[in-house]
């Protein structure tokens, strides 16, 4: 299998090249030139497999320049029992009737990003040996909270890599911040920026494509790559868990092989839901992909109108991983849905960069709407959703999952479409203990520190506290760097000691 760029489809690279490079030279994103097809019989056969074997079955179709031994090394290392607290890795829990929760947060950082970022370092090091000529790979990451910690944990002390993470100084939860600032590892660095996630992400993309900066790194035998979902190696592992949850639904007796399901995804950067789109195009029986946004509802507006406009108020919410106005992975969807029109995609991305907005044709948005629905949950409804869901089903969800639950409930009321549905749960509620505790208590926020809030939430709800979060309490803070978005390139060189 080969990969091309959303902005120049004359490009052809291998999986290893796409993963090691991260982003195409002209700024486009790598996408597969074709998608493998899975029959219902092949999917049904996967129901008897472990998560690791399901992952191998899907990934070998995309990583065709990896040997079987290399693929086994990557997948078995990523999803080992030492790293994931659930034997199922990503278990599916039936809440009631047709409502099912896909728990993607049983990894070492208690967020769905672990599903990809435990695998990416293995993919990256194997890819680098094939393509990077012994260079040290510098992983440059912008994070709205969960990606940063998951990438740091995944890449810590990985040979021939360095990882630099930038996060918005006031745009992550206290637990997310503490996870990053206490990160262990000799090759890791963390820096806050005065700005929001979009500022960090835009600066990272600019640094990636700056020829002078790349030349300076090359002179030191270094090269950039990305652990954000602009990197295909971040996105492809996420396809696996949509196949896995479908297999689990068959095993649970919720569906028969071949029956359609709906999938609801809380998303900001559009990567998680795009992986669901790829699974559908590969043959997974998905009826609708429902995009759930918080108050930063730029994706909802686009999917309903065909106009993407980031020129709007930015809200800092209790679901910070979705506080995003520039959804990078939407570029990939536009490429596929437009009939692989790289000229159109380049023009749309230029409009977004220069004017902050673009509109697609009526035909294109109509085609997108055949597969995608969308809704958003305003901040005022998040707390009540967490409280009602816990009281009704004794199931405690975090703020991001609550956004998706409310969008799902609104979708069913609006459409009557209540087929078996999977809702992605993207983080442990204890990563946002203050917000979740306040919600459960009906809006009251006890005057407690972060870890006392964890204990109180556990006492009230009985929900288990993940060990990686409980162990944070006594870890020393290692990083206190802060910079302006305009100075990120200088900070990169400082953190690399160049």
């Amino acid at each position: 299998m080969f990969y091309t760029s959303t902005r120049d489809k004359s490009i052809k690279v291998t999986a290893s090249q796409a993963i090691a490079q991260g982003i195409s030279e002209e700024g486009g994103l790598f996408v597969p030139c074709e998608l493998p097809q899975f029959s219902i019989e092949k999917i049904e056969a996967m129901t008897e497999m472990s998560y690791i074997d399901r992952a191998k079955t899907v990934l070998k179709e995309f990583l065709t320049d990896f040997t079987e031994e290399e693929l086994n090394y990557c997948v078995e290392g990523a999803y080992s029992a030492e790293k994931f607290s659930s034997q199922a890795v990503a278990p599916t829990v039936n809440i009631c009737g047709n409502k099912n929760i896909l728990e993607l947060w049983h990894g070492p950082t208690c967020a769905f990003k672990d599903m990809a970022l435990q695998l990416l370092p293995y993919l990256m090091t194997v890819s680098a040996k094939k393509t990077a000529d012994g260079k040290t790979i510098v992983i440059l990451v912008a994070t709205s909270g969960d990606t940063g910690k998951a990438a740091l944990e995944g890449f810590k002390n990985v040979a021939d890599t360095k990882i630099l993470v930038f996060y918005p100084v006031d745009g992550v939860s206290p637990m997310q911040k503490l996870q990053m600032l206490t990160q262990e590892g000799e090759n890791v660095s963390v820096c806050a920026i005065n700005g929001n996630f979009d500022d960090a992400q835009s600066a990272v993309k600019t640094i990636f494509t700056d020829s002078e900066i790349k030349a300076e790194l090359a002179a030191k035998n270094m090269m950039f790559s990305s652990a954000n979902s602009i990197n295909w190696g971040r996105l492809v592992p996420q396809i696996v868990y949509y196949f896995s949850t479908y297999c689990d639904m068959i095993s649970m007796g919720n569906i028969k092989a071949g029956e359609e399901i709906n999938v609801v995804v809380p998303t900001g950067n559009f990567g998680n839901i795009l992986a669901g789109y790829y699974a559908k195009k590969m043959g997974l029986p998905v009826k609708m992909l429902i995009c759930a946004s918080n108050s930063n509802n730029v994706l909802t507006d686009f999917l309903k109108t065909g106009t993407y406009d980031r020129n709007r108020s930015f809200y800092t919410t209790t679901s910070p991983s979705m506080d995003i106005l520039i959804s990078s992975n939407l570029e990939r969807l536009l490429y596929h849905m437009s009939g692989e029109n790289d000229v159109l995609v380049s023009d749309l991305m230029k409009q977004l960069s220069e004017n902050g907005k673009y509109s697609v044709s009526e035909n294109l948005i109509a085609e997108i709407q055949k597969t995608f629905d969308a809704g958003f949950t305003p901040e005022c409804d998040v707390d009540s959703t967490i409280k009602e869901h816990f009281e009704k089903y004794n199931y405690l969800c975090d703020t991001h999952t609550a956004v998706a639950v409310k969008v799902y409930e609104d979708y069913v009321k609006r459409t009557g479409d209540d087929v078996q549905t999977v809702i992605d749960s993207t983080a442990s509620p204890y990563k946002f203990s203050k917000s979740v505790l306040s919600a459960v208590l009906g809006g009251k926020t006890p005057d407690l520190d972060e870890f006392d809030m964890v204990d109180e939430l556990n006492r009230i709800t009985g929900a288990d506290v993940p060990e990686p979060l409980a162990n944070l309490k006594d870890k020393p803070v290692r990083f206190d760097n802060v910079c302006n978005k305009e100075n990120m390139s200088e900070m990169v060189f400082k953190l690399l000691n160049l």
Side-chain angles (χ1 to χ4, degrees), residues 242-466:
Y242 290 106
F243 281 93
S244 185
T245 191
Y246 190 87
C247 292
D248 288 346
M249 298 264 281
I250 295 173
S251 298
M252 293 160 67
N254 291 8
I255 58 171
K256 292 185 173 67
E259 282 186 45
E260 288 188 323
I261 64 170
N262 286 334
V263 175
V264 187
V265 185
T267 189
N269 222 5
F270 208 73
N272 200 358
I273 196 166
L274 182 67
Y277 167 78
Y278 282 127
K280 175 180 169 70
K281 297 299 286 183
M282 290 166 64
L284 194 70
V286 174
K287 183 180 180 184
M288 293 297 294
L289 291 156
I290 301 158
C291 178
S293 300
N294 63 14
S295 296
N296 295 295
N297 59 337
V298 64
L299 281 168
T300 305
D301 287 349
F302 170 74
L303 290 168
K304 289 185 177 299
T305 68
T307 294
Y308 193 101
D309 187 356
R310 66 174 174 84
N311 301 311
R312 59 179 67 208
S313 298
F314 178 88
Y315 299 102
T316 300
T317 73
T318 55
S319 48
S321 296
M322 300 160 69
D323 291 347
I324 294 170
L325 294 180
I326 303 174
S327 303
S328 290
N329 277 291
L330 189 58
E331 178 174 342
R332 285 183 163 115
L333 182 72
L334 293 171
Y335 176 80
H336 294 299
M337 285 286 198
S338 66
E340 303 177 354
N341 190 336
D342 54 347
V343 175
L344 172 67
V345 171
S346 294
D347 181 55
L348 294 176
M349 294 306 107
K350 184 180 179 184
Q351 290 180 48
L352 182 63
S353 177
E354 293 178 354
N355 307 318
K357 65 183 294 187
Y358 60 80
S359 295
V360 301
S361 69
E362 289 185 10
N363 287 342
L364 180 50
I365 193 61
E367 191 64 27
I368 291 171
Q369 288 168 347
K370 291 177 183 177
T371 297
F372 290 87
D373 201 288
F376 81 99
T377 300
E379 190 70 356
C380 59
D381 289 339
V382 174
D383 280 10
S384 58
T385 300
I386 293 172
K387 182 176 173 63
E388 289 168 11
H389 210 252
F390 177 69
E391 291 177 347
K392 193 171 183 179
Y393 305 115
N394 196 35
Y395 188 89
L396 188 66
C397 61
D398 86 298
T399 47
H400 303 75
T401 308
V403 166
V405 166
K406 181 66 166 64
V407 166
Y408 166 69
E409 292 170 349
D410 291 346
Y411 170 82
V412 173
K413 287 177 187 174
R414 174 166 50 86
T415 66
D417 180 17
D418 63 347
V419 301
Q420 284 284 338
T421 298
V422 170
I423 302 170
D424 283 12
S425 179
T426 55
S428 162
Y430 288 101
K431 289 202 77 167
F432 307 92
S433 52
K434 179 179 180 180
S435 298
V436 175
L437 178 60
S438 176
V440 171
L441 294 175
K444 301 172 186 173
T445 306
D447 185 19
L448 301 169
D449 71 19
E450 186 73 11
F451 292 99
D452 288 338
M453 285 189 185
V454 167
D455 293 340
E456 183 67 4
L457 186 58
N458 172 253
R459 186 187 69 78
I460 291 172
T461 67
D464 291 338
V465 181

